[in-house]
Amino acid sequence: MTQLLFSLYGFAFFNKFLLLTPVYSIFMLENGVSDFLLSTMFIVSAVGTIIAQMPIAFITNHVGQRASMILGQILKMIAILLWLVMPNYIGFVTGMFLWGVQAGFRSVAFEGLVYDSVYANGMGKDYTRILGRKSTYESIGVALSAFGSLLMFMGYDWVTWASVAAILLSVICLLMVKYTPPQNIRAKKVKFTKLFRTAMRICLQTPCLMTTMLFALLVGNIPYMDDFLSPIGLQIGIPTEYIGGVSLFLLGCATLGQRFAYKFTKISDRLIYALVAVVGLCYMAFGAVYSVGFLWLMGVGYILFYGIYTLLYSRLQHMIPSRHRSVVLSLYTTVSYLIYIVVCGIIGLGSMLGSWRYSIIILGAMMLLLFLWGNLFLQKRCGVSDR
């Protein structure tokens, strides 16, 4: 179990430890991409994830979770190298599409691998804690990537190749995973289309599963600003070489939320809804003042947002039958990116008003609406109002 967790945590870290993370959006802006077109880049990435979902679930069920993840990492390397050799809109769009496909592999294959391997080793009761730690290592990787902006004096080429090296290390971690899922989990002999329809039917006929999934999807996507932190930092007056500090701070806050979420597994639904409202208020307040000195408001929002999402995702995983985990997670990822596309469109429209601050305020208002929806309509969908 120790080696397994070491390998899983190692992959989670190196998959996110990309020094180009804080600078690639700036690189795109410097090569002719406008604020609105930058939003379309992330929409293209989401479309890539959605389009690839059915093939990803099919591949995962036939070649295994680990092999699928390695394929995804290869696509990710091709994506970032493409930006280096084709620094134009076509190259950026193509790379974002491939990165989106890789994100689909991670959401389906890796998340399924973590859950199944943990339970196969008799550690099911600790899944929420392990999920939180896995997410923590991911956030640490992203946070350390913030130092990529300090290294830009060496050139974008160097930052890109360092990121490729990190991806190769993530592949090595995957190769260290010594786990073969039981035959009843891999479902090789079941037709994928039939399995997918079954998963849809399970979700639609299980109100608690469907409600938990939908609420988790909205909570996980509406306040998600990670992809826009660099241009927001530039807009509030942070120099390019220090722009990584914004990601370092906010994703450090996210790490806190993920790391300690497991301590609140028995938190009531009513309190979760209230905390969602607090996230919305933090976003709206920061958007109103929009200055470096008030980034702490976003920090509070990030702690709560990532912590709440970790709890909701853990609850969802416990509800999914193991036999249908890959296709249900595929469905989950598809809907997640559809929502993300809408959110990116809203962020893009907000930026067209003249500042990213309007986008932040709009997202905060949407979180307040989500709080109202939860309190008015979702309280008793799982048969309890305060768990």
Side-chain angles (χ1 to χ4, degrees):
M1 190 64 188
T2 300
Q3 180 182 345
L4 175 66
L5 291 179
F6 179 82
S7 302
L8 295 176
Y9 292 157
F11 172 82
F13 173 78
F14 286 114
N15 181 54
K16 295 291 186 178
F17 181 52
L18 304 179
L19 291 175
L20 58 78
T21 299
V23 297
Y24 74 84
S25 58
I26 298 175
F27 181 71
M28 293 177 181
L29 291 171
E30 291 178 348
N31 282 274
V33 176
S34 66
D35 287 348
F36 180 76
L37 287 179
L38 182 63
S39 296
T40 66
M41 293 289 182
F42 301 115
I43 292 175
V44 167
S45 178
V47 169
T49 304
I50 293 170
I51 292 177
Q53 281 310 294
M54 291 184 67
I56 286 172
F58 180 84
I59 291 171
T60 301
N61 281 324
H62 281 72
V63 305
Q65 295 158 327
R66 187 177 68 172
S68 297
M69 280 306 307
I70 292 175
L71 175 59
Q73 296 306 95
I74 293 173
L75 293 178
K76 191 173 186 177
M77 282 190 287
I78 294 174
I80 64 176
L81 289 173
L82 187 61
W83 296 342
L84 192 62
V85 298
M86 290 183 62
N88 52 49
Y89 186 76
I90 298 300
F92 296 148
V93 166
T94 305
M96 290 300 287
F97 181 85
L98 293 177
W99 199 331
V101 174
Q102 183 274 338
F105 275 107
R106 187 197 64 79
S107 297
V108 175
F110 184 59
E111 296 299 338
L113 176 63
V114 172
Y115 188 89
D116 290 339
S117 60
V118 166
Y119 266 78
N121 282 272
M123 297 287 288
K125 66 181 185 302
D126 296 319
Y127 171 72
T128 301
R129 177 176 58 84
I130 293 171
L131 176 64
R133 288 186 176 179
K134 185 268 297 181
S135 298
T136 296
Y137 281 109
E138 289 178 333
S139 293
I140 292 174
V142 175
L144 292 179
S145 298
F147 291 103
S149 61
L150 294 175
L151 300 173
M152 278 297 287
F153 72 91
M154 300 178 67
Y156 187 80
D157 294 17
W158 188 91
V159 174
T160 299
W161 284 109
S163 299
V164 169
I167 296 174
L168 290 175
L169 288 173
S170 74
V171 172
I172 292 174
C173 289
L174 286 174
L175 293 174
M176 291 171 60
V177 175
K178 305 297 183 181
Y179 167 69
T180 302
Q183 193 65 30
N184 67 329
I185 291 178
R186 297 186 67 173
K188 279 192 173 183
K189 297 182 180 181
V190 180
K191 288 185 178 180
F192 173 75
T193 54
K194 180 180 179 181
L195 198 59
F196 192 81
R197 288 196 300 269
T198 301
M200 287 285 292
R201 187 166 58 250
I202 290 172
C203 292
L204 292 174
Q205 294 179 353
T206 310
C208 188
L209 174 60
M210 196 66 180
T211 298
T212 302
M213 177 182 292
L214 183 57
F215 194 72
L217 285 167
L218 292 172
V219 169
N221 283 284
I222 292 176
Y224 184 81
M225 295 290 295
D226 294 19
D227 296 326
F228 298 90
L229 295 181
S230 293
I232 288 173
L234 287 177
Q235 205 168 73
I236 61 178
I238 298 177
T240 301
E241 60 270 24
Y242 302 119
I243 205 66
V246 179
S247 297
L248 184 62
F249 169 67
L250 291 179
L251 296 179
C253 292
T255 299
L256 287 177
Q258 294 167 332
R259 177 66 180 82
F260 296 104
Y262 76 95
K263 293 181 177 293
F264 303 93
T265 52
K266 296 183 180 180
I267 191 174
S268 69
D269 294 336
R270 189 181 300 276
L271 184 53
I272 284 183
Y273 301 148
L275 293 176
V276 166
V278 174
V279 174
L281 291 173
C282 288
Y283 272 53
M284 295 182 71
F286 174 72
V289 293
Y290 205 54
S291 66
V292 177
F294 286 87
L295 270 174
W296 65 269
L297 285 169
M298 286 289 285
V300 173
Y302 258 57
I303 291 173
L304 296 176
F305 148 47
Y306 273 88
I308 294 168
Y309 179 69
T310 300
L311 292 174
L312 291 172
Y313 190 79
S314 175
R315 289 182 180 182
L316 175 66
Q317 284 276 31
H318 285 304
M319 296 177 186
I320 303 173
S322 293
R323 180 178 178 82
H324 304 295
R325 190 168 309 282
S326 292
V327 287
V328 171
L329 288 178
S330 181
L331 174 64
Y332 179 89
T333 303
T334 300
V335 179
S336 177
Y337 279 90
L338 285 173
I339 296 174
Y340 179 66
I341 287 173
V342 175
V343 171
C344 284
I346 293 172
I347 294 174
L349 291 175
S351 70
M352 292 179 68
L353 297 175
S355 173
W356 297 105
R357 69 189 306 169
Y358 300 114
S359 304
I360 298 171
I361 292 173
I362 293 171
L363 296 183
M366 292 175 66
M367 291 298 284
L368 292 182
L369 292 176
L370 188 57
F371 155 72
L372 293 175
W373 180 53
N375 271 291
L376 295 176
F377 300 104
L378 302 184
Q379 280 282 357
K380 298 181 180 180
R381 291 287 287 177
C382 290
V384 291
S385 58
D386 289 291
R387 287 189 291 190

